[in-house]
Amino acid sequence: MSSSLVETVDVEAPVGVTWALWHDVAEWPKFLRHVKDVVRIDDRSFSWWLDLPGADKSFTAEITELVPQERIAWKTTDGVEHAGVVTFHRLSDTSSRVTLQIEYNPQGFVERLGALTNLDSALTNYDLGEFKHKAESAAGNTAKL
């Protein structure tokens, strides 16, 4: 069974700020609640460690497409089956839209239940809210400099 989700958040921060925050893998655990750590292996690949309800998971992913200030796409090469893309859209000089699309294969009862009940969507929306807050704070700090 394959599952997918698409979630969007509008952010009061320029695309350059939202892009820079998402592009820096070291920042991910600060706004993606279940991500314990992300370590860059080289220019195109990185390792993830997740703390999920009922299970800890790890996997290696590679960037499959990188268009600065527009999109970052990835797929796993080891561990869980997962692929995604995050896109950045300029709404104005001071605001942007970030869209996250993920395709994954839920494993086990808890993950399948999360996919069926849209809990995964709710958790993703929470994480995007955290991302929004962090990006807007960063934009506010940048504007004051």
Side-chain angles (χ1 to χ4, degrees):
M1 170 181 137
S2 181
S3 195
S4 64
L5 59 92
V6 178
E7 301 297 339
T8 299
V9 65
D10 289 346
V11 182
E12 290 301 316
V15 166
V17 171
T18 57
W19 163 265
L21 180 58
W22 204 287
H23 186 254
D24 183 358
V25 298
E27 292 293 316
W28 293 352
K30 296 176 184 172
F31 60 84
L32 299 173
R33 150 180 22 187
H34 298 297
V35 177
K36 289 170 45 176
D37 197 15
V38 180
V39 175
R40 185 173 294 280
I41 298 168
D42 57 35
D43 287 346
R44 304 228 28 111
S45 57
F46 44 96
S47 294
W48 297 59
W49 288 269
L50 305 178
D51 181 16
L52 298 169
D56 288 344
K57 297 206 177 227
S58 63
F59 59 89
T60 302
E62 70 177 4
I63 295 172
T64 58
E65 184 179 10
L66 184 68
V67 181
Q69 297 192 22
E70 288 184 26
R71 64 190 289 120
I72 303 170
W74 66 90
K75 68 174 182 172
T76 57
T77 58
D78 182 41
V80 298
E81 288 183 53
H82 171 106
V85 62
V86 61
T87 56
F88 305 85
H89 310 273
R90 180 186 181 279
L91 298 178
S92 73
D93 289 346
T94 60
S95 64
S96 55
R97 177 169 291 148
V98 177
T99 300
L100 175 63
Q101 181 176 353
I102 299 174
E103 300 284 331
Y104 64 102
N105 239 345
Q107 301 296 310
F109 176 74
V110 173
E111 288 181 29
R112 287 186 181 117
L113 182 62
L116 288 172
T117 61
N118 291 324
L119 178 60
D120 54 357
S121 180
L123 293 173
T124 301
N125 273 313
Y126 176 85
D127 287 346
L128 286 177
E130 292 296 304
F131 173 80
K132 173 184 170 86
H133 176 72
K134 188 156 182 53
E136 289 176 349
S137 293
N141 291 339
T142 301
K144 293 176 184 172
L145 295 177

